[in-house]
């Protein structure tokens, strides 16, 4: 109590108003500006791995600079060191200070690692494509997962309009999370210069990394479609035209992408991918790989209610097992049960027939 009266007397001698003196150390040691509040306004992009910037070359040196908010608990913002020694805060205030300091320490440590990124993206090439009357840049990205580094990474090739469509769709559905994720603007000129292509390549890498780092966005159907749907459509088209070797590469790439991204949308696309792999391997006279794909699909299907692809996979597994001289009794019995229950026609449609009829959109 004596130290508090001494503190008020000191302010009175200095000419402070009674209202200011009554505020005391509590008001001075907790200013309105907060480090947590300032950092919230910086946006998600700057917390994850640097704000995406498309400034001129002269401005690049300032890209990583940040204005750090003053520490609300620093001596300069509150009472002087001498006053702090003579006027220890009450128990409630001391606890409040400790909690605030712990929150600040936690925030400083976690501000650049809010959510660990599961995938890494790298633009390995960017080619200018002339397809009269249009002209565009095709960016090829390697999608690297957390698995062994000796595995060949999956790849996707997309143009600026594909990225822009993804950004627009996600903005419409997730305004909150997307508000702080930057995207390169369209340019009327100099779209094909090496500098613009290099800047956009880095921007697209960061853009996809930021989307993957936010759980709400990571499992968005539009993001899944961006990665997988074009590969499936091209693979299906090649399979229908009999270009099985070329289609096999795309089916395998689509399978790897789905394995890295996970399957939040259900098993339909992985099953369709395995059907494409099985058909291509069978047509290329590799029954062992075709049978392995059927077994993977049957494991995914499990004992759930009958799926449209269940009977075709069972039929293919029985036929391939007979060809290889392997046990087919379990699949044969399961297929017979479905036919007796009237859940599938006799004989069931082949995987190739279903693959051709499937509409991917």
């Amino acid at each position: 109590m004596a130290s508090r009266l001494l503190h008020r007397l000191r302010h009175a001698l200095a000419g402070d108003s009674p209202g200011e003196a009554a505020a005391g150390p509590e008001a001075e040691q907790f200013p309105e500006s907060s480090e947590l509040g300032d950092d919230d306004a910086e946006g998600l992009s700057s917390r994850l791995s640097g704000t995406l910037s498309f400034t001129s070359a002269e401005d690049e040196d300032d890209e990583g600079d940040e204005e750090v908010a003053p520490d609300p608990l620093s001596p300069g913002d509150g009472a002087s060191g001498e006053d702090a020694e003579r006027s220890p805060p009450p128990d409630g205030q001391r606890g409040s200070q400790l909690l605030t300091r712990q929150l600040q320490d936690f925030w400083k440590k976690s501000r650049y690692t809010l959510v660990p990124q599961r995938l890494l993206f790298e633009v390995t090439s960017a080619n200018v494509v002339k397809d009269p009357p249009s002209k565009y840049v095709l960016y090829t990205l390697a999608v690297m997962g957390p698995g062994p580094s000796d595995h060949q990474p999956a790849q996707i090739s997309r143009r600026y309009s594909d990225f822009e469509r993804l950004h627009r769709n996600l903005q419409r559905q997730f305004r909150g999370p997307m508000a702080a994720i930057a995207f390169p603007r369209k340019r009327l000129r100099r779209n094909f210069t090496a500098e613009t292509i290099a800047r956009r390549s880095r921007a697209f890498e960061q853009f996809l990394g930021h989307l993957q780092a936010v759980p709400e966005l990571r499992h968005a159907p539009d993001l899944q479609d961006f990665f997988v749907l074009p590969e499936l459509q091209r693979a299906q088209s090649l399979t229908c035209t009999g270009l099985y070797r070329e289609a096999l590469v795309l089916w395998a790439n689509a399978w790897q992408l789905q394995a890295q991204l996970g399957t939040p949308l259900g098993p339909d696309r992985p099953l369709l991918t395995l059907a494409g792999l099985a058909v291509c391997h069978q047509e290329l006279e590799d029954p062992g790989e075709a049978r392995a794909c059927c077994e993977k699909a049957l494991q995914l299907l499990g004992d759930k209610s009958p799926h449209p692809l269940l009977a075709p996979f069972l039929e293919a597994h029985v036929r391939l097992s007979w060809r290889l001289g392997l046990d087919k009794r379990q699949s044969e019995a399961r297929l017979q049960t479905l036919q007796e229950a009237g859940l599938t026609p006799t004989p069931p449609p082949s995987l190739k027939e279903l693959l051709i009829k499937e509409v991917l959109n």
Side-chain angles (χ1 to χ4, degrees), residues 154-352:
Q155 288 191 339
I156 59 173
S157 294
R158 303 289 184 267
R159 51 192 292 186
Y160 178 89
S161 58
D162 297 322
F163 286 96
E164 184 186 36
R165 188 181 307 110
L166 171 64
H167 180 253
R168 184 172 60 250
N169 291 341
L170 291 178
Q171 269 193 324
R172 185 168 56 247
Q173 300 171 47
F174 304 96
R175 292 188 178 182
M178 288 296 297
I181 296 182
F183 187 79
R185 297 188 303 271
K186 276 188 175 180
R187 301 183 58 160
L188 298 179
R189 297 183 303 164
R190 299 176 60 82
N191 282 309
F192 303 103
T193 64
E195 180 184 7
T196 299
I197 292 174
R199 287 175 182 269
R200 283 186 173 176
S201 297
R202 175 177 174 266
F204 291 147
E205 292 171 356
Q206 292 187 342
F207 174 67
L208 294 178
H210 291 174
L211 296 180
Q212 274 288 311
V214 181
E216 188 177 1
L217 301 175
R218 183 190 309 148
H219 297 149
D222 282 289
L223 184 58
Q224 299 284 319
D225 287 347
F226 173 84
F227 283 110
V228 179
L229 187 57
E231 312 305 306
L232 294 178
Q233 290 172 333
R234 286 196 290 267
Q236 182 190 42
S237 177
L238 291 172
T239 304
C240 293
T241 55
L243 299 175
Y244 301 112
R245 197 169 300 277
E246 293 83 353
L248 180 61
V249 175
L250 292 177
W251 288 120
N253 188 60
W255 175 257
Q256 188 173 355
L257 281 169
Q258 291 171 87
Q260 292 176 340
L261 294 167
T263 55
L265 302 183
D268 287 350
R269 284 186 179 172
L271 288 172
L272 186 68
T273 306
L274 288 170
L277 288 168
V279 168
C280 290
H281 281 302
Q282 185 175 345
E283 294 292 338
L284 294 172
E285 297 298 325
D286 192 352
E289 285 295 330
R291 183 179 183 273
C293 292
C294 292
E295 287 188 335
K296 284 183 182 178
L298 293 174
Q299 289 174 2
L300 280 177
L301 289 166
D303 297 327
K304 300 176 183 177
S305 58
H307 189 279
L309 284 171
L310 176 58
F313 271 119
L314 287 171
E315 188 271 337
H317 190 262
V318 169
R319 183 165 31 83
L320 291 166
S321 298
W322 176 83
R323 183 176 175 182
L324 294 168
L326 300 174
D327 185 19
K328 57 184 175 60
R329 288 172 296 179
Q330 185 176 357
S331 296
E332 221 169 20
R334 193 173 177 189
L335 179 59
Q336 185 176 355
T337 301
L338 291 176
Q339 291 171 339
E340 291 175 351
L343 298 175
T344 185
T346 304
S350 68
L351 287 174
K352 189 175 182 180

Side-chain angles (χ1 to χ4, degrees), residues 77-136:
D77 291 335
S80 64
E82 181 182 358
D83 290 338
E85 291 178 2
R86 296 182 180 180
S87 180
D91 292 341
Q93 182 178 332
R94 187 183 299 112
S96 176
Q97 287 180 338
L98 179 60
L99 178 59
T100 303
R101 192 181 299 276
Q102 289 173 339
L103 288 172
Q104 289 173 349
D105 291 341
F106 171 79
W107 186 261
K108 289 176 182 177
K109 292 176 182 177
S110 64
R111 60 190 300 185
Y112 295 110
T113 56
L114 275 180
V115 181
Q117 295 185 14
R118 300 193 307 167
L119 296 179
L120 296 176
F121 306 94
E122 180 183 355
V123 175
T124 56
S125 66
N127 301 312
V128 178
V129 178
K130 295 181 180 179
D131 186 15
S134 64
K135 179 182 178 183
Y136 58 90

